[in-house]
Amino acid sequence: MAEHFDTPMLDELENGPWPSFISGFKRLRDEHPEERIRSVANSLLGQLEHSYETRKGYWKGGTVSVFGYGAGIIPRFSEVDDAFQASKEFHTLRVQPPPGNYYTTDMLRQLADSWEKYGSGLITFHGQTGNIMFIGADTENTQTFFDEINDYGWDLGGAGPDVRTGMSCVGAARCEQSCIDEQKIHRTLQNNFTDDVHRPALPYKFKFKISGCPNDCQNSIERSDFSVIGTWRDDMKVDQEAFKGYLQTKGRQYLIDNVITRCPTNALAITDDDTLAVDNRNCVRCMHCLNVMPKALSPGDDRGATICIGGKRTLKIGDLMGTVIVPFKKLETEEDFESLVEMAEEVIDFWAENGLEHERCGEMIERIGLVNFLEGIGVDVDPNMVNNPRQSSYVRMDEWDAEAEKWFERKAEEAAG
Amino acid sequence: MSEAAAPRPPIESGCPEGFQYMHPAMRRNYGNWAYHEDPQPGVLLHVSKDGQKIWTVKAATQRILDVFTIRKLCAIADDYADGYLRFTLRSNLEFIVTDEAKVQPLIKAITDAGFIVGGTRNSVTTLSHTQGWLHCDIPGTDASGVVKSMMDELIGEFTSWNMPNRVHITTSCCQINCGGQGDIAINVQHTKPPKINHDLVANVCERPSVVARCPVAAIRPALVNGKPSLEVDERKCICCGACFPPCPPMQINDAEHSKLAIWVGGNHSNARGKPTFQKLVAAGIPNNPPRWPEATAIVKRILKTYKEDAKDWERINEWIERIGWPRFFELTGLPFTKFHIDNWRGARASLNSSAHIRF
């Protein structure tokens, strides 16, 4: 192998107690039995050191895909390949993890073994879109590696203007707050759109993320176009004995300062006989009191999900949180899941038809207005969709009577069950 | 002559089934958990409705794992945690055990192998980060290096429960901000318009889509030296870099003028208040590899003030909402400038239209 590149700046990232990614690169460079991997690691370290010295990136994109797909590979060609030959093609394969990022060691070893045969030996768990990122294969080995892991159950994720890889929180597998079956929701939605994951043909990216409760550990409301957040609509469950236990161990003042007065809608009170009184009609399911007292408080039994549409990051009109489109949706029967998928199809179809190039779903909603979007996907207006009704009188309202009538008809239907 | 092998058609299996990779105790108790406790930093105890218990030990890694590290972690999981692993969305690892006696030996094995146990409850958990110079095509900085440098200094806050509530810190290498919202976000902020290589634009860039990409309509087609290219109205340009990904000859990254900015108060959770976006607090911070000491110093100053002044359970956004922004700038000693006043769409909602002033 060629001489090791000097890496004085990167070497400084080996100091200190936090695990060092640079030490990992050097292990590959110095200790890996295969000459190919040692060379690639050396070359990568050299280019990264060059970036640190000049404060510039030196990767450019391109067009690389596996047979049959148009997405899932992030092509990277070095702009300084004269100096750093061995890593001049350094593509990433984005691979979809299972919901919640669960692995057996057998499977991780199998993936590592495959990657060692064809790639750089570096894997990121996980990228911000949620994929396992196998960083560093040349064009030919991108296909070979994919073929091998595809044979034992792994598929590429999204990239570019398509349905992206989904993400879910730890969920019902290990959390008492989970109100929904994240595993099933995630795979039902995501795998309905497999064609849209692999063949980019949408205005821009579209992401599904699922959180089991309103703590939203998956950050779905801001980081996904289609956010499914578990919730419940009956009364929360209170174990008064457990509450008394908290009263004894934490103290009355602590509970007043940290639970009662922190309720955003003043829906909690400690009564004279030391029980917790809950105004469930005004509870907004924020989760705070359940977080502080998980032994005493739990979500109710009538569980489902709130669906928010249109979250995204900065480009190009600024950050957007998703907006409530469905305040509560049961997700138990096969029909419930079918209608969830139908709704996702409506949203994506409408956006594919009406979104501009490089326009996220939330940006389209801002451009055309929420009401036009709702009419496009066939969802009725609901006061849960707004913080407050409009403040501006500049609107044409000559269809008021007809719209009011629709509201009363819907209410009558709901009342009739 | 042998025939070329037919290409292999992909198996479009999509997202794999998760239960096959879950610890059996999690499969068994799926949807059946009653409550959890926090025995010590980095350890969770979950108890199911019929009394089954699992302990989770959370550990930080370097996120970008070499195969040696993967095998080392797998060996620990095999020895102590029944051969199962889970990654959190901030790239922490979770080992699950059903036998309490294994918890301390597992922590010792993780620590002996050079990983850090912590990141639960009211700690500063691992910075979430993006690709940076290692692999991105448009980065203004490195992310892994920033995270390593900062966590070296914040490690004591990762392994303890000293913060008023949990702190999520994020990094991003451009203003697209793949790192997302954070209680504290350290993001690249360019300060000069792109430098255009006019010889390349016509061949590399789809000019109408680059024009359309600009948030402030500062880009227009132009003929430069007889070649079709693009020009930027530098009085309108906000230096966001949105034109750079679709048109690499519009180089936005600059060794000196691409700076770092720090934002605070992003919070996805619905707990107590509604989710919030992060707000600018500091900018003009040098992009200073390999250790970024100036950015780390400001993050530490914000954390110290938060730790001293916030009440239990207040996230950074809630703390500042209570004490007010003037007090935040006073307590942290950070300057308040004209750049802190928003002039983007919807800016009016961020102005104080009231007589609510703290003295």
Side-chain angles (χ1 to χ4, degrees), chain A residues 46-161:
Chain A
Q47 178 168 332
L48 189 58
E49 175 74 17
H50 183 54
S51 279
Y52 270 61
E53 284 168 3
T54 58
R55 303 184 189 185
K56 282 269 180 71
Y58 295 98
W59 298 107
K60 61 186 174 194
T63 309
V64 177
S65 63
V66 299
F67 176 75
Y69 287 178
I73 310 294
I74 309 297
R76 289 292 176 257
F77 297 92
S78 174
E79 291 174 334
V80 284
D81 55 353
D82 285 349
F84 309 109
Q85 273 285 322
S87 57
K88 67 177 184 178
E89 290 183 7
F90 204 71
H91 315 314
T92 281
L93 291 100
R94 286 184 175 175
V95 172
Q96 295 191 49
N101 300 334
Y102 297 93
Y103 301 96
T104 57
T105 51
D106 286 347
M107 182 46 74
L108 283 177
R109 283 203 186 87
Q110 194 176 352
L111 288 167
D113 291 349
S114 294
W115 184 235
E116 205 169 35
K117 278 192 262 176
Y118 306 110
S120 69
L122 291 170
I123 313 177
T124 294
F125 291 96
H126 298 79
Q128 288 291 344
T129 296
N131 297 286
I132 317 170
M133 302 210 295
F134 293 88
I135 314 175
D138 63 20
T139 304
E140 188 189 341
N141 278 321
T142 299
Q143 181 74 53
T144 329
F145 173 71
F146 170 69
D147 287 345
E148 181 162 318
I149 65 166
N150 189 224
D151 273 338
Y152 59 84
W154 299 88
D155 198 1
L156 292 187

Side-chain angles (χ1 to χ4, degrees), chain B residues 307-326:
Chain B
K307 191 160 127 180
E308 286 168 1
D309 200 60
K311 295 180 176 175
D312 285 357
W313 296 96
E314 277 179 341
R315 292 280 286 265
I316 286 185
N317 62 306
E318 297 169 286
W319 162 57
I320 300 173
E321 197 179 323
R322 179 172 58 79
I323 66 166
W325 285 99

Side-chain angles (χ1 to χ4, degrees), chain A residues 52 199 223 313 316 387, chain B residues 12 177-178 181 212 274:
Chain A
Y52 270 61
R199 294 168 193 89
R223 307 215 60 171
R313 275 298 304 161
K316 90 177 199 183
N387 281 330
Chain B
E12 302 204 34
N177 193 3
C178 300
Q181 295 288 314
K274 291 183 179 180

